[in-house]
Amino acid sequence: MNWILLLIAGLFEAAFATCLGKAQETSGKENIFWWGGFVACLFLSMFLMYRSISGENAIPIGTAYAVWTGIGAVTGVISGIIFFDEPATFWRMFFVCTLIASVVGLKITQTH
């Protein structure tokens, strides 16, 4: 269950970064909407990460933080490509794949 919470926390990390990017592009009421989304996603991301490192079957903080940032980084790059017209070059995709492999490797080698 803690790994599922951590996965969701990582997705909310990318969501708060996406909201922050959209807030930069907008003004007025739409801007307030994106800032509200940023705050909500930030809170949920931190709360879920905290829950994943707490209690029974807790994920070690070093592993949890690395996985959380990895998930956020990968989904953040994908979000940038989809929503902000960032380039999807070979090398960007290559290094995104190495991030995914690293996150999977951390999960596989976890000692708990």
Side-chain angles (χ1 to χ4, degrees), residues 9-49:
L11 295 174
F12 274 113
E13 182 196 5
F16 79 67
T18 301
C19 288
L20 190 60
K22 290 302 246 181
Q24 281 186 303
E25 296 180 344
T26 60
S27 60
K29 290 182 182 181
E30 188 178 357
N31 186 264
I32 293 169
F33 167 78
W34 288 111
W35 276 107
F38 167 77
V39 171
C41 290
L42 179 63
F43 171 79
L44 288 167
S45 180
M46 295 295 169
F47 176 74
L48 291 170
M49 185 165 116

Side-chain angles (χ1 to χ4, degrees), residues 25 33 36 73 79 84 111:
E25 296 180 344
F33 167 78
S79 172
F84 301 107
T111 58

Side-chain angles (χ1 to χ4, degrees), residues 48-71:
L48 291 170
M49 185 165 116
Y50 167 76
R51 291 289 309 266
S52 73
I53 64 169
S54 303
E56 194 173 321
N57 298 318
I59 301 169
I61 186 67
T63 301
Y65 185 72
V67 170
W68 178 74
T69 57
I71 292 167

